[in-house]
Amino acid sequence: MKTTDRQILHIALPSIVSNITVPLLGLIDVTIVGHLGAASYIGAIAVGGMLFNMIYWLFGFLRMGTGGLTAQAYGRHDLQESTRILLRSLSISLLLALALLILQFPICSLAFTFIDTSEEVQKLATLYFHICIWGAPATLGLYGFNGWYIGMQNSRFPMFIAIIQNIVNIAASLFFVFSLGMKVEGVALGTLVAQYAGLGMACLLWLVYYRPLRKYLHQKGLFDRTEMKRFFQVNRDIFFRTLCLIAVTVFFTSTGAAYGDVVLAVNALLMQLFTLFSYFMDGFAYAGEALTGKYIGARNHKALTQTVKHLFKWGISLSLLFTLLYGLGGKGFLGLLTDDASVIAASEEYIYWVLAIPLAGFSAFLLDGVCIGSTATRLMLIAMLVASASFFLLYYGLHHTLGNHALWMAFIVYLALRGIVQGIILYRKQLTGLHPLS
């Protein structure tokens, strides 16, 4: 195996494992309350989990922006600046977490004006929310740490942290619920303990394995105006890109609900196939992010070009593999997720859209990683704006005649356009003699 491929897999494989463990935190919580004897407990955890997913999704720029900037500093062998980037990210994470804690009551009240639930579910979900919100400093801090570790070409530490979080979450939640007799509040406390266990693990790993960087902890220039401006510009673009992504995702779900419960269920199950594919492609996107930033920082354009070529070889190969797997076993996979005959029968009308996802979407994931590593975040935002606008225009232009098929067609086009627009802009910059990622 070539050196470039080994470097890509060295970062991608642990990242894929980390991605797969992410939904386990929510799954564990649902499984535990599912044995408490009331559906309202499951509903409360589902609603509470959704709220936090939406909130924390908005702050994903803390991981992505930190990763790209750190990778470039790593490529320049500027350990002092890489340490500054971590400290800036953690400082901003703490301030944002503090804002969430201060605003937790209006945020919760506003959320339930849009979420239609029973009074009991709302009461329990509110309790869950007001306990778990105290994990905001840990969660946002981990975004900074994970981005920094990936930028330092180390995706193993985020994997270790994710595994520790899941182990602690299982143990703590079981203890609080079944040993102390708590219910929803026990699950919330278990999640809270797991979040801080993850942050503690991240700090411990840094202190032990990055000991030489301690000398940079007390340094001037931490909040240098130029560097802070760059940090916020990068993260601003990612933030608005994420808002577009959330708008498309929420619209897809809510619009599918308008076609009835069966179609809503079909869409939700088929999106699990997209999510599974995304876990793998995100792993290679993280590799692209880390290696792109490193080679840009080192001004090694030959290695950068070689890395991007190899990333696309992996992307195309995985896309063909997933297309084959979904074509042969997609229906069987849905059968594992549900035994509802009406949902399985209805899925046959739409499952072929899933076959288009891998080849339509792989370049969007990979080029997102390349753009993050190069801090070309404005390019990402432009591509997302074009793709999102096309999504809504295409759906509203066709939904009267195609119904739910229009929703899936718009989603596939949206995925494809994200990669196409980014690729066109990068190619044009090459033609003009400018290195696209410098």
Side-chain angles (χ1 to χ4, degrees):
M1 184 179 290
K2 293 184 178 180
T3 302
T4 303
D5 289 322
R6 284 200 298 268
Q7 290 178 327
I8 290 172
L9 292 177
H10 179 73
I11 298 170
L13 293 180
S15 297
I16 291 170
V17 174
S18 298
N19 291 339
I20 292 173
T21 65
V22 169
L24 289 180
L25 283 170
L27 182 61
I28 291 164
D29 290 350
V30 170
T31 302
I32 291 174
V33 297
H35 291 83
L36 295 180
S40 57
Y41 294 135
I42 299 176
I45 296 297
V47 171
M50 179 189 69
L51 282 177
F52 282 110
N53 286 340
M54 297 297 290
I55 292 170
Y56 291 141
W57 205 357
L58 285 172
F59 299 111
F61 62 82
L62 290 168
R63 191 213 63 76
M64 291 183 276
T66 301
L69 293 168
T70 302
Q72 290 183 19
Y74 178 89
R76 296 192 304 270
H77 304 289
D78 190 347
L79 296 178
Q80 185 175 13
E81 180 57 23
S82 69
T83 307
R84 286 193 188 119
I85 291 168
L86 175 61
L87 293 176
R88 288 183 197 122
S89 180
L90 294 178
S91 299
I92 293 168
S93 297
L94 184 60
L95 289 174
L96 290 172
L98 181 61
L100 287 176
L101 292 175
I102 293 171
L103 298 173
Q104 61 177 288
F105 289 99
I107 289 173
C108 188
S109 297
L110 179 64
F112 280 105
T113 61
F114 297 100
I115 301 174
D116 186 19
T117 66
S118 67
E119 184 177 341
E120 180 65 16
V121 168
Q122 180 173 337
K123 177 182 175 182
L124 294 172
T126 300
L127 174 63
Y128 180 86
F129 177 87
H130 287 305
I131 293 174
C132 285
I133 193 65
W134 290 96
T139 299
L140 298 187
L142 276 172
Y143 282 1
F145 267 115
N146 288 340
W148 189 84
Y149 282 135
I150 290 171
M152 296 294 284
Q153 319 298 298
N154 182 355
S155 60
R156 291 176 296 114
F157 281 7
M159 179 184 70
F160 296 153
I161 292 166
I163 292 171
I164 288 296
Q165 276 190 292
N166 279 285
I167 293 173
V168 172
N169 187 41
I170 293 171
S173 295
L174 289 173
F175 174 75
F176 288 131
V177 172
F178 295 110
S179 295
L180 299 185
M182 296 181 180
K183 297 187 184 298
V184 167
E185 64 273 23
V187 172
L189 285 172
T191 300
L192 188 64
V193 170
Q195 289 167 336
Y196 280 99
L199 181 63
M201 182 71 171
C203 293
L204 180 63
L205 290 171
W206 193 90
L207 290 171
V208 172
Y209 291 95
Y210 293 93
R211 186 175 299 171
L213 302 186
R214 292 184 186 182
K215 61 185 177 183
Y216 300 126
L217 290 176
H218 305 287
Q219 57 179 317
K220 296 180 181 179
L222 177 59
F223 298 107
D224 176 77
R225 179 176 295 182
T226 301
E227 293 300 329
M228 288 298 292
K229 181 179 179 181
R230 185 186 182 207
F231 188 88
F232 279 110
Q233 282 178 338
V234 167
N235 288 314
R236 177 197 61 198
D237 293 338
I238 298 174
F239 176 79
F240 285 115
R241 167 196 172 274
T242 304
L243 282 179
C244 293
L245 194 153
I246 290 174
V248 170
T249 303
V250 171
F251 182 87
F252 186 96
T253 302
S254 60
T255 302
Y259 293 107
D261 290 346
V262 172
V263 170
L264 174 62
V266 168
N267 285 355
L269 292 178
L270 293 180
M271 283 300 286
Q272 294 304 308
L273 297 176
F274 166 71
T275 301
L276 179 62
F277 175 69
S278 72
Y279 288 155
F280 282 81
M281 291 314 304
D282 270 338
F284 284 88
Y286 291 170
E289 172 186 330
L291 295 171
T292 296
K294 181 177 77 170
Y295 291 132
I296 286 178
R299 297 189 177 276
N300 189 341
H301 296 323
K302 181 180 179 181
L304 172 60
T305 302
Q306 187 78 355
T307 297
V308 174
K309 287 181 179 178
H310 280 257
L311 280 171
F312 269 79
K313 288 179 181 178
W314 280 104
I316 292 171
S317 299
L318 281 172
S319 297
L320 292 173
L321 176 61
F322 270 88
T323 301
L324 179 63
L325 290 176
Y326 289 166
L328 296 176
K331 293 180 182 178
F333 180 77
L334 294 181
L336 295 176
L337 298 178
T338 181
D339 56 2
D340 189 315
S342 62
V343 172
I344 294 175
S347 69
E348 294 183 3
E349 184 180 351
Y350 302 102
I351 196 167
Y352 60 83
W353 288 112
V354 175
L355 300 180
I357 284 177
L359 288 172
F362 81 93
S363 62
F365 287 96
L366 296 181
L367 288 177
D368 278 351
V370 170
C371 287
I372 290 169
S374 62
T375 60
T377 51
R378 179 55 56 87
L379 192 159
M380 290 174 62
L381 176 59
I382 292 171
M384 180 61 80
L385 287 172
V386 172
S388 300
S390 300
F391 171 83
F392 289 108
L393 288 172
L394 189 59
Y395 173 74
Y396 280 113
L398 298 174
H399 78 284
H400 289 298
T401 53
L402 296 181
N404 192 52
H405 287 288
L407 191 62
W408 277 102
M409 181 185 294
F411 184 73
I412 297 299
V413 171
Y414 152 83
L415 282 178
L417 278 178
R418 282 171 52 190
I420 290 170
V421 173
Q422 287 177 332
I424 289 173
I425 295 175
L426 293 175
Y427 181 68
R428 285 183 174 178
K429 286 189 176 183
Q430 282 182 320
L431 291 180
T432 58
L434 298 172
H435 195 280
L437 302 173
S438 298

mmCIF file of all heavy atoms in Angstrom, residues 216-237:
data_model
loop_
_atom_site.group_PDB
_atom_site.id
_atom_site.type_symbol
_atom_site.label_atom_id
_atom_site.label_comp_id
_atom_site.label_asym_id
_atom_site.label_seq_id
_atom_site.Cartn_x
_atom_site.Cartn_y
_atom_site.Cartn_z
ATOM 1 N N TYR A 216 3.953 26.461 26.142
ATOM 2 C CA TYR A 216 3.270 27.492 25.361
ATOM 3 C C TYR A 216 1.935 27.916 25.978
ATOM 4 O O TYR A 216 1.229 28.750 25.418
ATOM 5 C CB TYR A 216 3.009 26.995 23.934
ATOM 6 C CG TYR A 216 4.256 26.628 23.168
ATOM 7 C CD1 TYR A 216 4.377 25.367 22.579
ATOM 8 C CD2 TYR A 216 5.306 27.525 23.030
ATOM 9 C CE1 TYR A 216 5.518 25.009 21.870
ATOM 10 C CE2 TYR A 216 6.456 27.178 22.318
ATOM 11 C CZ TYR A 216 6.550 25.913 21.752
ATOM 12 O OH TYR A 216 7.680 25.575 21.061
ATOM 13 N N LEU A 217 1.580 27.318 27.105
ATOM 14 C CA LEU A 217 0.280 27.628 27.706
ATOM 15 C C LEU A 217 0.225 29.064 28.216
ATOM 16 O O LEU A 217 -0.827 29.704 28.170
ATOM 17 C CB LEU A 217 -0.013 26.654 28.852
ATOM 18 C CG LEU A 217 -0.315 25.215 28.442
ATOM 19 C CD1 LEU A 217 -0.499 24.347 29.684
ATOM 20 C CD2 LEU A 217 -1.558 25.152 27.570
ATOM 21 N N HIS A 218 1.322 29.569 28.744
ATOM 22 C CA HIS A 218 1.369 30.941 29.266
ATOM 23 C C HIS A 218 2.168 31.793 28.286
ATOM 24 O O HIS A 218 3.376 31.957 28.418
ATOM 25 C CB HIS A 218 2.024 30.961 30.649
ATOM 26 C CG HIS A 218 1.368 30.045 31.628
ATOM 27 N ND1 HIS A 218 0.140 30.306 32.183
ATOM 28 C CD2 HIS A 218 1.757 28.850 32.135
ATOM 29 C CE1 HIS A 218 -0.195 29.328 32.997
ATOM 30 N NE2 HIS A 218 0.772 28.427 32.990
ATOM 31 N N GLN A 219 1.490 32.286 27.289
ATOM 32 C CA GLN A 219 2.180 33.028 26.242
ATOM 33 C C GLN A 219 1.375 34.235 25.810
ATOM 34 O O GLN A 219 0.152 34.294 25.973
ATOM 35 C CB GLN A 219 2.416 32.115 25.026
ATOM 36 C CG GLN A 219 1.114 31.512 24.475
ATOM 37 C CD GLN A 219 1.356 30.632 23.276
ATOM 38 O OE1 GLN A 219 2.127 30.987 22.402
ATOM 39 N NE2 GLN A 219 0.699 29.478 23.224
ATOM 40 N N LYS A 220 2.074 35.207 25.260
ATOM 41 C CA LYS A 220 1.420 36.393 24.729
ATOM 42 C C LYS A 220 0.929 36.096 23.311
ATOM 43 O O LYS A 220 1.360 35.162 22.667
ATOM 44 C CB LYS A 220 2.406 37.555 24.713
ATOM 45 C CG LYS A 220 2.881 37.988 26.090
ATOM 46 C CD LYS A 220 3.865 39.143 25.985
ATOM 47 C CE LYS A 220 4.345 39.560 27.377
ATOM 48 N NZ LYS A 220 5.325 40.683 27.309
ATOM 49 N N GLY A 221 0.020 36.915 22.845
ATOM 50 C CA GLY A 221 -0.464 36.762 21.480
ATOM 51 C C GLY A 221 -1.591 35.762 21.324
ATOM 52 O O GLY A 221 -1.983 35.443 20.203
ATOM 53 N N LEU A 222 -2.106 35.267 22.444
ATOM 54 C CA LEU A 222 -3.181 34.282 22.349
ATOM 55 C C LEU A 222 -4.386 34.849 21.616
ATOM 56 O O LEU A 222 -4.989 34.181 20.775
ATOM 57 C CB LEU A 222 -3.580 33.819 23.761
ATOM 58 C CG LEU A 222 -4.741 32.840 23.842
ATOM 59 C CD1 LEU A 222 -4.443 31.570 23.064
ATOM 60 C CD2 LEU A 222 -5.064 32.514 25.296
ATOM 61 N N PHE A 223 -4.731 36.094 21.936
ATOM 62 C CA PHE A 223 -5.883 36.723 21.296
ATOM 63 C C PHE A 223 -5.430 37.827 20.334
ATOM 64 O O PHE A 223 -5.988 38.918 20.295
ATOM 65 C CB PHE A 223 -6.833 37.278 22.357
ATOM 66 C CG PHE A 223 -7.405 36.209 23.250
ATOM 67 C CD1 PHE A 223 -6.985 36.074 24.563
ATOM 68 C CD2 PHE A 223 -8.339 35.305 22.759
ATOM 69 C CE1 PHE A 223 -7.496 35.075 25.377
ATOM 70 C CE2 PHE A 223 -8.855 34.309 23.563
ATOM 71 C CZ PHE A 223 -8.431 34.183 24.876
ATOM 72 N N ASP A 224 -4.380 37.506 19.556
ATOM 73 C CA ASP A 224 -3.902 38.412 18.521
ATOM 74 C C ASP A 224 -5.040 38.768 17.570
ATOM 75 O O ASP A 224 -5.787 37.892 17.113
ATOM 76 C CB ASP A 224 -2.765 37.736 17.742
ATOM 77 C CG ASP A 224 -2.274 38.578 16.584
ATOM 78 O OD1 ASP A 224 -1.544 39.540 16.830
ATOM 79 O OD2 ASP A 224 -2.668 38.255 15.441
ATOM 80 N N ARG A 225 -5.178 40.054 17.282
ATOM 81 C CA ARG A 225 -6.337 40.528 16.504
ATOM 82 C C ARG A 225 -6.416 39.868 15.127
ATOM 83 O O ARG A 225 -7.493 39.440 14.693
ATOM 84 C CB ARG A 225 -6.260 42.048 16.353
ATOM 85 C CG ARG A 225 -7.415 42.626 15.532
ATOM 86 C CD ARG A 225 -7.365 44.130 15.480
ATOM 87 N NE ARG A 225 -7.573 44.721 16.806
ATOM 88 C CZ ARG A 225 -7.615 46.032 17.020
ATOM 89 N NH1 ARG A 225 -7.444 46.882 16.017
ATOM 90 N NH2 ARG A 225 -7.824 46.490 18.248
ATOM 91 N N THR A 226 -5.286 39.767 14.451
ATOM 92 C CA THR A 226 -5.289 39.184 13.105
ATOM 93 C C THR A 226 -5.697 37.713 13.141
ATOM 94 O O THR A 226 -6.532 37.258 12.337
ATOM 95 C CB THR A 226 -3.894 39.307 12.462
ATOM 96 O OG1 THR A 226 -3.531 40.691 12.392
ATOM 97 C CG2 THR A 226 -3.901 38.718 11.056
ATOM 98 N N GLU A 227 -5.122 36.960 14.074
ATOM 99 C CA GLU A 227 -5.431 35.536 14.169
ATOM 100 C C GLU A 227 -6.867 35.300 14.632
ATOM 101 O O GLU A 227 -7.543 34.381 14.164
ATOM 102 C CB GLU A 227 -4.448 34.841 15.111
ATOM 103 C CG GLU A 227 -3.022 34.791 14.585
ATOM 104 C CD GLU A 227 -2.921 34.042 13.275
ATOM 105 O OE1 GLU A 227 -3.706 33.107 13.034
ATOM 106 O OE2 GLU A 227 -2.045 34.397 12.467
ATOM 107 N N MET A 228 -7.339 36.127 15.557
ATOM 108 C CA MET A 228 -8.723 35.998 16.012
ATOM 109 C C MET A 228 -9.698 36.313 14.877
ATOM 110 O O MET A 228 -10.740 35.662 14.728
ATOM 111 C CB MET A 228 -8.985 36.908 17.204
ATOM 112 C CG MET A 228 -8.324 36.441 18.499
ATOM 113 S SD MET A 228 -8.919 34.819 19.056
ATOM 114 C CE MET A 228 -10.614 35.227 19.516
ATOM 115 N N LYS A 229 -9.357 37.321 14.070
ATOM 116 C CA LYS A 229 -10.209 37.669 12.931
ATOM 117 C C LYS A 229 -10.299 36.504 11.956
ATOM 118 O O LYS A 229 -11.368 36.162 11.460
ATOM 119 C CB LYS A 229 -9.649 38.906 12.223
ATOM 120 C CG LYS A 229 -10.487 39.362 11.037
ATOM 121 C CD LYS A 229 -9.894 40.601 10.382
ATOM 122 C CE LYS A 229 -10.732 41.029 9.179
ATOM 123 N NZ LYS A 229 -10.143 42.229 8.511
ATOM 124 N N ARG A 230 -9.143 35.873 11.696
ATOM 125 C CA ARG A 230 -9.139 34.722 10.796
ATOM 126 C C ARG A 230 -9.949 33.571 11.380
ATOM 127 O O ARG A 230 -10.718 32.914 10.673
ATOM 128 C CB ARG A 230 -7.698 34.270 10.546
ATOM 129 C CG ARG A 230 -7.594 33.154 9.514
ATOM 130 C CD ARG A 230 -6.178 32.638 9.413
ATOM 131 N NE ARG A 230 -6.071 31.605 8.388
ATOM 132 C CZ ARG A 230 -5.177 30.645 8.381
ATOM 133 N NH1 ARG A 230 -4.273 30.574 9.361
ATOM 134 N NH2 ARG A 230 -5.141 29.750 7.418
ATOM 135 N N PHE A 231 -9.790 33.336 12.682
ATOM 136 C CA PHE A 231 -10.518 32.264 13.357
ATOM 137 C C PHE A 231 -12.024 32.472 13.214
ATOM 138 O O PHE A 231 -12.777 31.540 12.890
ATOM 139 C CB PHE A 231 -10.117 32.237 14.836
ATOM 140 C CG PHE A 231 -10.651 31.060 15.599
ATOM 141 C CD1 PHE A 231 -9.942 29.866 15.659
ATOM 142 C CD2 PHE A 231 -11.865 31.135 16.276
ATOM 143 C CE1 PHE A 231 -10.433 28.773 16.362
ATOM 144 C CE2 PHE A 231 -12.361 30.056 16.980
ATOM 145 C CZ PHE A 231 -11.637 28.867 17.023
ATOM 146 N N PHE A 232 -12.482 33.703 13.427
ATOM 147 C CA PHE A 232 -13.920 33.969 13.361
ATOM 148 C C PHE A 232 -14.434 33.974 11.928
ATOM 149 O O PHE A 232 -15.586 33.583 11.680
ATOM 150 C CB PHE A 232 -14.243 35.299 14.054
ATOM 151 C CG PHE A 232 -14.329 35.193 15.546
ATOM 152 C CD1 PHE A 232 -13.360 35.762 16.353
ATOM 153 C CD2 PHE A 232 -15.363 34.493 16.154
ATOM 154 C CE1 PHE A 232 -13.424 35.654 17.740
ATOM 155 C CE2 PHE A 232 -15.437 34.378 17.535
ATOM 156 C CZ PHE A 232 -14.473 34.960 18.330
ATOM 157 N N GLN A 233 -13.608 34.398 10.964
ATOM 158 C CA GLN A 233 -14.042 34.361 9.567
ATOM 159 C C GLN A 233 -14.268 32.924 9.110
ATOM 160 O O GLN A 233 -15.272 32.613 8.461
ATOM 161 C CB GLN A 233 -12.985 35.037 8.681
ATOM 162 C CG GLN A 233 -13.015 36.554 8.729
ATOM 163 C CD GLN A 233 -11.924 37.179 7.881
ATOM 164 O OE1 GLN A 233 -10.908 36.544 7.572
ATOM 165 N NE2 GLN A 233 -12.112 38.430 7.496
ATOM 166 N N VAL A 234 -13.320 32.061 9.449
ATOM 167 C CA VAL A 234 -13.444 30.645 9.091
ATOM 168 C C VAL A 234 -14.690 30.043 9.724
ATOM 169 O O VAL A 234 -15.494 29.378 9.061
ATOM 170 C CB VAL A 234 -12.179 29.872 9.527
ATOM 171 C CG1 VAL A 234 -12.415 28.373 9.457
ATOM 172 C CG2 VAL A 234 -10.987 30.264 8.665
ATOM 173 N N ASN A 235 -14.876 30.289 11.004
ATOM 174 C CA ASN A 235 -15.999 29.691 11.723
ATOM 175 C C ASN A 235 -17.338 30.313 11.347
ATOM 176 O O ASN A 235 -18.368 29.646 11.397
ATOM 177 C CB ASN A 235 -15.761 29.796 13.228
ATOM 178 C CG ASN A 235 -14.674 28.848 13.696
ATOM 179 O OD1 ASN A 235 -14.659 27.681 13.324
ATOM 180 N ND2 ASN A 235 -13.743 29.330 14.494
ATOM 181 N N ARG A 236 -17.320 31.595 10.969
ATOM 182 C CA ARG A 236 -18.564 32.237 10.518
ATOM 183 C C ARG A 236 -19.103 31.550 9.266
ATOM 184 O O ARG A 236 -20.296 31.248 9.168
ATOM 185 C CB ARG A 236 -18.293 33.710 10.232
ATOM 186 C CG ARG A 236 -19.499 34.484 9.685
ATOM 187 C CD ARG A 236 -19.030 35.774 9.049
ATOM 188 N NE ARG A 236 -18.131 35.507 7.927
ATOM 189 C CZ ARG A 236 -17.297 36.410 7.405
ATOM 190 N NH1 ARG A 236 -17.222 37.635 7.929
ATOM 191 N NH2 ARG A 236 -16.537 36.097 6.366
ATOM 192 N N ASP A 237 -18.227 31.306 8.292
ATOM 193 C CA ASP A 237 -18.658 30.652 7.053
ATOM 194 C C ASP A 237 -19.206 29.254 7.338
ATOM 195 O O ASP A 237 -20.232 28.844 6.769
ATOM 196 C CB ASP A 237 -17.490 30.552 6.071
ATOM 197 C CG ASP A 237 -17.034 31.915 5.564
ATOM 198 O OD1 ASP A 237 -17.835 32.860 5.619
ATOM 199 O OD2 ASP A 237 -15.871 32.023 5.131
#
